Amino acid sequence: MRIPSTQALRALDSFARHGSVWRAADELHLTRSAVSHQLRLLERELGFDLLQRIGKGVALTPRGQRYAADVRKALTVLGDAGAQNSGAGVGGSFGISCPPGFASMFLCTHIGEFQQMYPDVALSVLTPRRLDDVSNPEADAFIAFGVGNWPNRAVELLCEVSFTPLCSPTLLNKVGGLTKPADVLRANLLHLSDTEDWARWLALSKVENPDTEGGIFFSDMNLVFSAAIAGQGIAMGDELTGRRALSEGRLVKPFEASVPSPRSYYLVFEHAKAGHPVLNAFSDWLRAKLSENQLAKY
């Protein structure tokens, strides 16, 4: 039998200990819907019911209780093994170059966890001038946003992104709501470097003859989001870097339509560094955090 995902097992263990989805969600830093989704997937994979509805709530079935107890024992063994070996043999300095927006709005909100796991690593986070720049000699690896074409480098896809309009609740009220795609033209369009993303979204939404050359241009996604949060216009943003602002209500997503970006986030490094213990540890940790982020909903 295939072993279920650790995320799903952790969701079950947390639910079993707390007895409620919302407390499990709080402990795991996920939403309630994400925890419920994990439990449903686990039931489907196991082939038997873990949960039963009692009144307006849910509880573990007797079989679910027995399975959760076994899961708890297994997670304890894994946790002890991790504590004994965490960071073992992994140390030294490591520089990671990362676009400013990704760094401030995603990486820096989680990076302390990596430091706890690998206390002997002296980690430096650097930011490039261009989103696809992989030239800094002080960096051991790069998180770059581009089309994946970096000759003579090892290139690994981290995640794809899609863009959709994001704005502040204040601006939404100011313009009288955004009920149809063409309504975005009643406000400033906020651009990151060029008009490409807005032009593609407006074309997808069948907005006729839009003027995408107007608005305000920024060189950094941090500035785009700052302007949007301050009600200065509508950003064309992605839900990866905008998730915290969305979950906190500082930004809202007025439309469901999103347009896939031709660019993605990649991990880029020299072939000679393949197999480097810190690089491997950082890569595994980063992929796990991105996976958790995709499961969570704001």
Side-chain angles (χ1 to χ4, degrees):
M1 180 180 179
R2 191 173 73 85
I3 299 175
S5 74
T6 304
Q7 183 77 14
L9 296 177
R10 289 178 61 207
L12 174 63
D13 173 61
S14 185
F15 177 81
R17 285 185 287 105
H18 295 293
S20 71
V21 171
W22 71 267
R23 288 188 176 181
D26 185 61
E27 179 179 75
L28 299 173
H29 304 293
L30 297 173
T31 62
R32 300 180 196 181
S33 61
V35 172
S36 297
H37 179 67
Q38 284 295 313
L39 293 174
R40 288 195 299 271
L41 289 178
L42 185 57
E43 281 187 320
R44 190 182 310 162
E45 190 165 357
L46 293 172
F48 60 83
D49 292 335
L50 294 170
L51 306 175
Q52 58 185 342
R53 185 165 293 281
I54 299 179
K56 295 183 179 180
V58 292
L60 290 174
T61 64
R63 189 172 182 181
Q65 292 175 357
R66 293 193 298 271
Y67 184 76
D70 289 339
V71 166
R72 180 60 180 165
K73 294 175 185 176
L75 290 176
T76 299
V77 171
L78 290 173
D80 290 344
Q84 293 172 10
N85 296 282
S86 177
V90 179
S93 61
F94 185 76
I96 180 73
S97 174
C98 179
F102 186 99
S104 65
M105 291 180 278
F106 181 79
L107 184 62
C108 290
T109 63
H110 301 291
I111 198 64
E113 178 184 298
F114 177 82
Q115 195 68 63
Q116 289 180 337
M117 294 172 63
Y118 301 96
D120 295 329
V121 174
L123 187 67
S124 299
V125 179
L126 315 168
T127 55
R129 291 186 177 182
R130 298 192 324 274
L131 302 180
D132 62 351
D133 183 15
V134 295
S135 63
N136 190 342
E138 296 181 8
D140 296 290
F142 303 82
I143 297 171
F145 189 63
V147 296
N149 182 27
W150 289 278
N152 303 318
R153 301 284 182 113
V155 179
E156 299 178 2
L157 177 66
L158 288 174
C159 65
E160 299 173 333
V161 298
S162 294
F163 289 111
T164 191
L166 303 176
C167 66
S168 72
T170 301
L171 182 135
L172 195 64
N173 293 330
K174 182 179 178 181
V175 300
L178 300 172
T179 58
K180 60 183 184 299
D183 291 345
V184 299
L185 301 177
R186 301 206 304 261
N188 284 325
L189 302 186
L190 307 180
H191 306 280
L192 176 62
S193 301
D194 57 44
T195 64
E196 177 186 350
D197 295 325
W198 265 116
R200 294 176 65 245
W201 187 86
L202 290 166
L204 174 73
S205 302
K206 296 181 171 54
V207 176
E208 297 182 359
N209 304 315
D211 177 16
T212 59
E213 298 302 320
I216 308 171
F217 293 79
F218 300 89
S219 62
D220 188 308
M221 199 63 197
N222 281 319
L223 303 179
V224 175
F225 276 122
S226 292
I229 290 169
Q232 303 305 298
I234 306 174
M236 182 55 63
D238 67 273
E239 295 180 41
L240 173 66
T241 55
R243 184 173 299 278
R244 171 161 290 193
L246 285 163
S247 66
E248 294 173 350
R250 292 180 293 148
L251 289 176
V252 295
K253 185 175 77 165
F255 303 102
E256 287 301 318
S258 62
V259 58
S261 172
R263 295 170 290 179
S264 302
Y265 286 105
Y266 292 88
L267 183 66
V268 184
F269 51 92
E270 296 178 0
H271 289 287
K273 294 185 182 295
H276 189 289
V278 181
L279 175 58
N280 290 343
F282 181 81
S283 175
D284 290 344
W285 170 81
L286 179 60
R287 291 179 188 282
K289 298 310 297 182
L290 288 170
S291 179
E292 288 179 15
N293 186 81
Q294 290 173 349
L295 286 172
K297 298 294 182 183
Y298 49 86

